[in-house]
């Protein structure tokens, strides 16, 4: 385990992590704006949106901590290099921060977003499926409050990787961190998920089924999937499950012969308690 010193840079309100002579800057600097070239807009449910994006980034919320929610949003809007929409899908939270979220995304010139909410808590699977039903991107990435993209090119690199590999489902690696008193601790030595990602580097469906069923579970926060694939297999689970959409949908996909592809680099920082 490495204890890293975090500092807030004056004037930017961005959290940076120093490690020796290097610095890893988490991608949620407040002062840097992401410009958007809006070629074509249309209006749906009172929100102006761009033409069809390449990726739908789906932020799934339920009674989120406000700090974690906005850290994740700041990490999302820093993504560059491909077109994407943001879908915030709330699962019946007592406090949603809906107005704050909409105001923040508008201030960040993020025109292409949707805010969906359920009156009652319906569980992760139905909440995710609700967002997927509205998603317009070829690919989808689900993320939760507290998760942070590793850098500003994660979505672009995942998109290019899946296009090159013609991958229906891919997954990457994660760093784990915790924040206390404006300092961040990054953890090394935690059990990887899956333990042996190399077992998924070729598309041998029998080998992948065996690997997944015998302890090589995949961290749900790292999945990057074609939207129709995610919608199909999460939908299959929605009739009899409320949670665990990552494992159940993967089992259904593998059962139909849909293989997984490992993306060999870090995608996100995941909060660790």
């Amino acid at each position: 385990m490495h204890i890293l010193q975090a500092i807030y840079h004056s004037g930017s309100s961005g959290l940076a992590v120093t490690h020796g002579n290097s610095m890893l800057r988490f991608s949620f600097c407040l002062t840097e704006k992401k410009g958007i070239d809006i070629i074509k807009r249309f209006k749906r449910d009172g929100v102006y949106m761009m033409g069809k994006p390449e990726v739908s980034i789906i932020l799934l919320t339920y009674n989120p901590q406000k700090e974690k929610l906005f850290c994740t949003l700041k990490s999302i809007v820093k993504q560059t290099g491909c077109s994407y929409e943001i879908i915030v899908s709330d699962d019946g939270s007592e406090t949603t921060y809906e107005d704050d979220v909409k105001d923040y995304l508008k201030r960040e010139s993020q025109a292409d977003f949707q805010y969906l909410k359920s009156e009652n808590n319906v569980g992760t699977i139905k909440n995710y499926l609700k967002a997927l039903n509205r998603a317009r991107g070829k690919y989808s990435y689900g993320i939760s409050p507290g998760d942070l993209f590793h850098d500003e090119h994660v979505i672009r690199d995942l998109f290019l990787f899946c296009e090159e590999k013609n991958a229906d489902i891919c997954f990457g690696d994660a760093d784990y961190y915790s924040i206390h008193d404006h300092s961040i601790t990054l953890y090394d030595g935690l059990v990887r998920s899956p333990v042996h990602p190399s077992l998924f580097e070729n598309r041998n469906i029998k080998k992948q089924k065996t690997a997944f069923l015998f302890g090589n579970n995949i961290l749900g926060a790292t999945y990057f999937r074609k939207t129709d694939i995610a919608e199909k297999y999460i939908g299959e689970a929605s009739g009899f499950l409320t949670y665990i959409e990552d494992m159940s949908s993967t089992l259904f996909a593998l059962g139909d012969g849909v293989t997984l592809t490992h993306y060999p680099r870090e995608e996100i920082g995941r909060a660790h308690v």
Side-chain angles (χ1 to χ4, degrees):
M1 181 177 73
H2 296 291
I3 306 297
L4 306 181
Q5 180 63 38
I7 57 173
Y8 282 93
H9 288 273
S10 60
S12 71
S13 298
L15 180 64
V17 185
T18 56
H19 185 193
N21 295 322
S22 63
M23 182 170 72
L24 168 65
R25 186 172 180 80
F26 279 95
S27 56
F28 48 89
C29 175
L30 292 177
T31 59
E32 297 180 20
K33 304 283 187 178
K34 179 175 68 63
I36 299 177
D37 292 326
I38 301 179
I39 300 173
K40 179 181 179 181
R41 288 189 179 186
F42 60 94
K43 194 172 185 181
R44 183 169 72 193
D45 296 342
V47 177
Y48 283 100
M49 308 173 73
M50 291 164 44
K52 187 173 181 178
E54 291 161 325
V55 180
S56 297
I57 302 175
I58 298 173
L59 176 54
L60 301 166
T61 64
Y62 177 63
N63 290 331
Q65 295 180 21
K66 189 172 184 179
E67 181 182 15
K68 288 185 176 182
L69 173 63
F70 279 89
C71 280
T72 299
L73 281 170
K74 293 166 191 174
S75 178
I76 292 172
V77 301
K78 291 286 291 179
Q79 294 300 298
T80 63
C82 75
S83 62
Y84 60 88
E85 66 173 342
I86 299 171
I87 302 176
V88 181
S89 188
D90 183 76
D91 191 16
S93 296
E94 294 180 8
T95 303
T96 65
Y97 307 108
E98 178 180 358
D99 291 339
D100 292 336
V101 168
K102 289 179 176 179
D103 289 344
Y104 173 75
L105 292 175
K106 289 174 182 176
R107 289 199 308 272
E108 290 294 317
S109 301
Q110 182 65 48
D112 201 351
F113 73 88
Q114 304 177 59
Y115 193 101
L116 311 178
K117 58 183 178 180
S118 298
E119 294 300 321
N120 302 303
N121 177 245
V122 296
T124 308
I125 287 181
K126 289 184 178 178
N127 188 40
Y128 204 160
L129 191 60
K130 173 181 64 180
L132 288 167
N133 289 337
R134 296 289 298 272
R136 296 157 36 245
K138 179 178 180 180
Y139 297 92
S140 295
Y141 192 108
I143 194 168
S144 300
D147 292 341
L148 308 175
F149 286 119
H150 194 266
D151 58 55
E152 66 270 26
H153 300 303
V154 168
I155 292 298
R156 178 204 66 184
D157 292 347
L158 283 166
F159 172 77
L160 293 175
F161 177 80
C162 286
E163 289 287 283
E164 178 187 355
K165 302 293 186 181
N166 192 28
D168 292 321
I169 304 172
C170 83
F171 66 93
D173 301 321
D175 291 323
Y176 290 83
Y177 74 92
S178 63
I179 298 176
H180 300 286
D181 297 326
H182 298 281
S183 65
I184 192 166
T185 302
L186 293 183
Y187 295 88
D188 288 337
L190 296 180
V191 175
R192 297 184 68 179
S193 181
V195 178
H196 301 291
S198 61
L199 294 173
F200 297 93
E201 288 178 359
N202 64 63
R203 296 190 177 181
N204 184 317
I205 188 63
K206 291 183 179 179
K207 189 174 183 179
Q208 290 198 3
K209 286 179 181 179
T210 302
F212 191 78
L213 289 170
F214 289 93
N216 281 280
N217 299 323
I218 295 166
L219 180 64
T222 68
Y223 275 111
F224 187 84
R225 296 176 274 202
K226 287 183 178 176
T227 298
D228 58 347
I229 293 290
E231 185 175 10
K232 176 180 179 180
Y233 293 111
I234 292 176
E236 287 192 12
S238 66
F240 55 92
L241 288 174
T242 305
Y243 308 104
I244 325 178
E245 82 291 339
D246 44 7
M247 284 192 64
S248 58
S249 61
T250 301
L251 285 170
F252 283 125
L254 288 170
D256 279 352
V258 179
T259 56
L260 285 58
T261 305
H262 178 230
Y263 174 65
R265 56 157 287 192
E266 290 80 7
E267 294 177 10
I268 64 165
R270 162 143 277 205
H272 175 69
V273 180

